Amino acid sequence: MKRLHCLFMLIILSLQVMAAGQWPMRSQGPWEKGAFETRQYRNLFVETGYRPDAVEKKLKEVFDDVFHGPNKVYFEVGDSLGYISDIKNHDVRTEGMSYGLMIAVQMGEKDIFDRIWRWSKKYMQHQEGSRKGYFAWSCKTDGTRNAQGAASDGELYFITALLFASNQWGDDTGINYKGEAQHILDCIMPREYEPEAGGFGGPRQSGPQKMYLIDPETKLITFTPDGFGQRYTDPSYHIPAFYEVWARWADDGRSDYWKECAQKSREFLHKAIHPETGLNPDMCNYDGSLMQNGWMARGGGSNFRYDSWRVPMNIALDYEWSCADKDWQRQYGERFQNFLYTQGIDTFVDQYRVDGTLPEGNEILQAGGFRKLRHSIGLVATSAAASVMCSHEKRKEFIKALWEAKHEPFDDGYFDAYYDGLLRLFAFMHLSGHYRVIFPSPYRVMKTGNLSATIDTGAGGKILSLKYGDTEVISQSRMPESFGSTFWTSPQKEWNWPPVQEFDKYPYEIEEDGATLSISSSVAPKLGLKVRKQFSTDERNNALVVRYSIINAGTTSRKVAPWEITRVPNEGLIFFDAPVESITPSGLMPFTSSESIAWYQTDTAGENRKINADGKGWLAYLNNGLLLVKRFEDLSPTQPASGEAEIQVYVNRGKTYIELESQGAYTNLAPGEELTWTVRWQLEPYEGTAPSKQLVKKVRKMVKKR
């Protein structure tokens, strides 16, 4: 693995500048393409200096605070239902329920998702009548409705989360997620209804009305889908990227319409946001202008307050996923953070007039029985999430402020576990790279006998899993660069670090999908190369066969070598056929010698370590009752690229993961030429754990098989 990266880490360690919980900063800079295209996500916490494992731990803690901790807002009912409650208001809202669905699908929590959806469908969704398909925005915790009308953001999240669930889990596990989303989509299209009194607190309307979630004239989302709330909009309901999801995967025949809604929503946000402060009103007219009349305007509805907090996070989401309005979004993110920075990174309050002045009296929206300006963690969270769009140095202070902020009661006893808690969790998901577009499953499974391999065609064509029965042999860590098996081109000096994204992280195109799975990368512009991977199985030998090709798609000749990198847990025994004294650097790892084999019993150290060796065309790993033998072309010492080797073992610091690496011959490719290199993975049970003649005999027998 990454020799230059290892050296850099050793230097940092030797200088003792790596503080506890910190990580060397590696900023990726502004994005030019969104995740719909690249399927890549930044981890702003890591870029700011926090260790990847510390970030994962913190994210889990924040998730547990919301769903499992003493101040949780998620509650299970019986064997199949669950709800999220706005504790301070003693109710269940479509806002929180739909947020819960989105969080659950993003975090892979299918049981939580299904419970929340079943509760929502049973108690909140209208199954008949003029409001059919819509959801009552507020219910008691026993399911009794406090109101019949809908709040449009609930439907927005319900639809998107259901489509993601369909993509992630399919529609045959008890809930037809896509069918449920399509039903809501059909129901939100304009239709006549007879209004009832005050759907969301507004005055009663008379006579037949049209009900719709999206205003037909402006293509903008309504505040509420009824005669009262359809007259204006809420900027925090504008999430253009969600419409892009509908356009791609709803399959409702309205793809072009949803794309137009996304564009109209982006244009609206330009108008609704103050050009100097970056603040937006809670509610406003469809043209972005402030509301001048009515009870909403008189009560401070034109101010920046609770709903408004969500806007910077929503715009950051659109930037991350689509990047369709990137130039304006970058300017907006920095403008918004700049204003709050002038108010004090630790002292800005949670409500302002959009010009940046402070509201007074009844303009201040009360919460939990308090009418008070606070430095709320919900706004701390969303202002930090805006850092995704920012390049200025201030973004690091916002990220640090969120990391260090404690979600606890204020001195006067006010505490919001619900809204503050959910926004805090969303922000941690954004900044850690865990708020993602969920594509239809990119996974392909190859099976033979008891062996099964899972390949991720959507993210670098990695082998994510290799199992014998139910027992896994490959690392399943969630830390970046620490799981699965990937493929790079050698030598590393041609691209340094990080790995070439076209080969290691971007989606691969599926060329053949059957007994042989053939996938190919896009061309890496820096190298002029592309990679093809062909996966097949050898039933007779219980093996996975991977045939790698490197194609020179450029206009000049290039020398290149193939390089396979397989991450495994830091446990067990690693061995190969080579004299211990030939391993370099000498003494870096405690190899021993017996039966003419070099053996390494895994250990831990405070630094990263890597060795090179000239083997005999195989590399073995024994752990958890399984023996993995990888077979490849046996090279002479001069055939690999300079500074590289046929066999390499990289051990990451601490007891985290190990990389089993092998390389092919360094080959000159003329334009249009390609090289091929095959690795055979054999996986069999083995009861022993220590070096032995019996183990060597078994491996050599496996290696001889054809």
Side-chain angles (χ1 to χ4, degrees):
M1 192 204 154
K2 31 204 182 273
R3 179 172 289 103
L4 293 176
H5 180 59
C6 296
L7 178 60
F8 177 61
M9 289 295 298
L10 287 169
I11 291 171
I12 290 178
L13 286 166
S14 67
L15 293 174
Q16 298 182 339
V17 298
M18 184 180 289
Q22 294 293 296
W23 195 252
M25 184 164 47
R26 195 167 60 234
S27 178
Q28 297 182 20
W31 277 18
E32 297 300 325
K33 298 178 180 179
F36 280 121
E37 184 173 351
T38 68
R39 305 195 192 189
Q40 298 304 298
Y41 304 86
R42 293 171 65 184
N43 188 325
L44 271 292
F45 287 122
V46 172
E47 291 183 29
T48 303
Y50 297 97
R51 289 167 51 95
D53 54 343
V55 174
E56 293 297 320
K57 180 181 178 182
K58 187 84 166 182
L59 176 62
K60 184 179 185 304
E61 290 173 354
V62 176
F63 176 84
D64 286 342
D65 284 347
V66 172
F67 284 88
H68 305 300
N71 294 314
K72 69 180 182 179
V73 298
Y74 169 71
F75 303 90
E76 295 187 349
V77 181
D79 294 333
S80 62
L81 303 179
Y83 64 84
I84 285 179
S85 174
D86 182 348
I87 303 294
K88 67 182 184 301
N89 288 307
H90 314 293
D91 69 346
V92 179
R93 303 182 173 199
T94 53
E95 170 191 71
M97 295 294 275
S98 61
Y99 283 9
L101 290 179
M102 181 60 74
I103 292 166
V105 74
Q106 290 289 332
M107 302 297 283
E109 297 283 352
K110 187 175 186 300
D111 181 63
I112 292 176
F113 187 100
D114 289 353
R115 284 175 176 271
I116 293 175
W117 171 249
R118 292 189 195 104
W119 202 100
S120 302
K121 185 175 176 66
K122 180 176 182 178
Y123 295 116
M124 303 182 109
Q125 189 178 37
H126 293 273
Q127 301 302 324
E128 57 186 12
S130 62
R131 297 185 185 275
K132 182 178 179 180
Y134 284 96
F135 296 77
W137 79 271
S138 173
C139 293
K140 293 181 174 62
T141 57
D142 66 0
T144 305
R145 292 175 184 167
N146 293 321
Q148 298 296 330
S152 299
D153 60 331
E155 278 70 12
L156 186 76
Y157 271 86
F158 278 128
I159 294 165
T160 311
L162 285 164
L163 291 175
F164 278 167
S166 173
N167 285 352
Q168 180 151 282
W169 298 312
D171 298 310
D172 56 359
T173 62
I175 298 174
N176 182 353
Y177 303 113
K178 180 175 281 191
E180 297 286 4
Q182 290 172 330
H183 173 63
I184 303 170
L185 284 165
D186 287 342
C187 290
I188 65 173
M189 301 309 289
R191 68 171 184 264
E192 280 197 357
Y193 80 110
E194 190 68 36
E196 303 163 6
F200 200 84
R204 180 186 178 94
Q205 306 295 304
S206 60
Q209 303 287 325
K210 282 278 189 180
M211 178 185 293
Y212 41 79
L213 194 82
I214 308 295
D215 176 63
E217 182 178 345
T218 64
K219 309 290 192 302
L220 300 177
I221 192 168
T222 61
F223 177 60
T224 61
D226 52 49
F228 169 69
Q230 289 172 177
R231 295 178 298 175
Y232 57 95
T233 187
D234 182 327
S236 74
Y237 291 6
H238 288 259
I239 312 179
F242 280 12
Y243 299 130
E244 301 278 4
V245 172
W246 303 3
R248 287 168 179 260
W249 295 303
D251 296 330
D252 66 343
R254 305 182 185 100
S255 180
D256 289 341
Y257 176 73
W258 301 130
K259 290 177 183 178
E260 184 181 5
C261 288
Q263 183 55 34
K264 294 293 185 181
S265 193
R266 294 183 184 110
E267 293 170 1
F268 161 81
L269 288 167
H270 288 219
K271 302 171 186 175
I273 289 169
H274 194 279
E276 296 177 4
T277 64
L279 301 177
N280 59 272
D282 231 27
M283 275 90 53
C284 68
N285 298 310
Y286 288 121
D287 63 2
S289 63
L290 299 181
M291 300 170 66
Q292 302 297 329
N293 301 306
W295 68 276
M296 284 285 190
R298 292 192 298 272
S302 291
N303 290 345
F304 178 91
R305 55 189 191 181
Y306 299 116
D307 273 19
S308 308
W309 300 354
R310 300 180 290 206
V311 169
M313 188 164 64
N314 294 343
I315 296 176
L317 179 72
D318 190 43
Y319 176 73
E320 291 176 278
W321 289 8
S322 76
C323 228
D325 196 15
K326 58 183 183 295
D327 293 335
W328 179 85
Q329 289 167 341
R330 290 171 190 158
Q331 295 169 6
Y332 158 75
E334 296 196 358
R335 187 191 333 154
F336 177 73
Q337 286 193 345
N338 282 336
F339 169 75
L340 292 183
Y341 199 81
T342 67
Q343 306 298 299
I345 191 73
D346 298 315
T347 56
F348 60 75
V349 295
D350 53 13
Q351 298 185 49
Y352 291 94
R353 299 186 184 113
V354 293
D355 65 3
T357 57
L358 293 176
E360 299 176 352
N362 289 338
E363 284 184 88
I364 300 173
L365 185 61
Q366 70 88 27
F370 294 86
R371 191 181 299 276
K372 187 174 181 179
L373 300 178
R374 302 180 184 276
H375 184 66
S376 294
I377 195 171
L379 183 54
V380 171
T382 61
S383 63
S387 299
V388 171
M389 301 176 282
C390 301
S391 298
H392 60 193
E393 288 298 303
K394 297 185 186 75
R395 75 187 189 282
K396 300 172 189 174
E397 296 187 53
F398 283 90
I399 293 169
K400 181 182 178 183
L402 173 61
W403 182 274
E404 296 180 349
K406 291 181 171 57
H407 190 197
E408 58 189 13
F410 286 87
D411 292 342
D412 59 7
Y414 175 79
F415 179 67
D416 183 8
Y418 166 77
Y419 193 59
D420 279 341
L422 288 168
L423 294 186
R424 177 178 178 235
L425 177 51
F426 271 132
F428 268 90
M429 290 162 57
H430 273 289
L431 294 170
S432 63
H434 284 288
Y435 200 163
R436 303 184 171 193
V437 180
I438 299 177
F439 288 79
S441 177
Y443 302 144
R444 297 296 185 272
V445 178
M446 311 291 293
K447 292 185 177 181
T448 179
N450 292 312
L451 181 146
S452 63
T454 301
I455 295 99
D456 185 357
T457 66
K462 290 183 176 68
I463 302 173
L464 294 184
S465 170
L466 185 70
K467 292 182 178 180
Y468 189 93
D470 294 327
T471 306
E472 179 65 65
V473 72
I474 292 178
S475 170
Q476 299 298 296
S477 168
R478 292 182 65 186
M479 290 169 52
E481 318 295 351
S482 67
F483 61 89
S485 182
T486 189
F487 180 83
W488 301 336
T489 56
S490 178
Q492 182 176 334
K493 66 183 180 182
E494 294 289 331
W495 44 265
N496 196 15
W497 191 258
V500 178
Q501 295 188 351
E502 287 79 8
F503 304 157
D504 185 70
K505 291 184 173 61
Y506 283 5
Y508 274 57
E509 180 183 355
I510 298 175
E511 298 176 342
E512 184 179 355
D513 192 358
T516 295
L517 172 65
S518 180
I519 60 177
S520 63
S521 75
S522 55
V523 176
K526 182 177 179 180
L527 301 177
L529 302 172
K530 68 178 294 184
V531 168
R532 179 181 296 114
K533 302 179 183 181
Q534 293 176 295
F535 302 90
S536 59
T537 57
D538 178 353
E539 184 175 354
R540 187 164 61 94
N541 295 312
N542 206 50
L544 174 71
V545 181
V546 190
R547 186 172 184 261
Y548 298 102
S549 299
I550 302 176
I551 301 104
N552 185 352
T555 58
T556 59
S557 295
R558 282 200 83 97
K559 290 198 74 172
V560 66
W563 185 2
E564 186 184 70
I565 303 94
T566 303
R567 284 101 179 209
V568 297
N570 188 343
E571 301 169 346
L573 188 66
I574 296 168
F575 56 104
F576 47 85
D577 195 339
V580 170
E581 58 270 19
S582 69
I583 296 173
T584 58
S586 176
L588 186 63
M589 292 158 55
F591 277 90
T592 60
S593 180
S594 65
E595 308 297 330
S596 301
I597 299 296
W599 307 86
Y600 168 56
Q601 189 73 51
T602 58
D603 69 337
T604 61
E607 69 278 349
N608 303 325
R609 295 167 291 162
K610 180 172 181 176
I611 60 92
N612 287 346
D614 176 34
K616 295 292 174 60
W618 61 269
L619 174 60
Y621 172 65
L622 176 63
N623 182 42
N624 200 24
L626 291 180
L627 174 62
L628 171 65
V629 178
K630 299 174 69 175
R631 296 163 50 193
F632 37 81
E633 180 185 359
D634 182 19
L635 304 183
S636 69
T638 61
Q639 285 184 281
S642 176
E644 307 291 345
E646 176 186 321
I647 290 174
Q648 299 173 313
V649 178
Y650 167 83
V651 183
N652 198 59
R653 64 192 296 267
K655 195 172 180 62
T656 49
Y657 68 96
I658 291 176
E659 292 184 345
L660 308 177
E661 307 179 17
S662 51
Q663 295 197 23
Y666 194 38
T667 304
N668 187 68
L669 295 180
E673 287 187 339
E674 68 178 83
L675 64 81
T676 60
W677 181 64
T678 300
V679 181
R680 298 174 63 86
W681 301 43
Q682 293 172 254
L683 187 64
E684 296 187 10
Y686 186 80
E687 293 183 357
T689 59
S692 68
K693 182 181 294 186
Q694 178 186 2
L695 179 55
V696 174
K697 183 177 180 180
K698 180 175 180 63
V699 170
R700 286 183 169 151
K701 182 178 180 181
M702 292 169 67
V703 169
K704 287 181 181 179
K705 286 183 178 181
R706 290 291 184 268

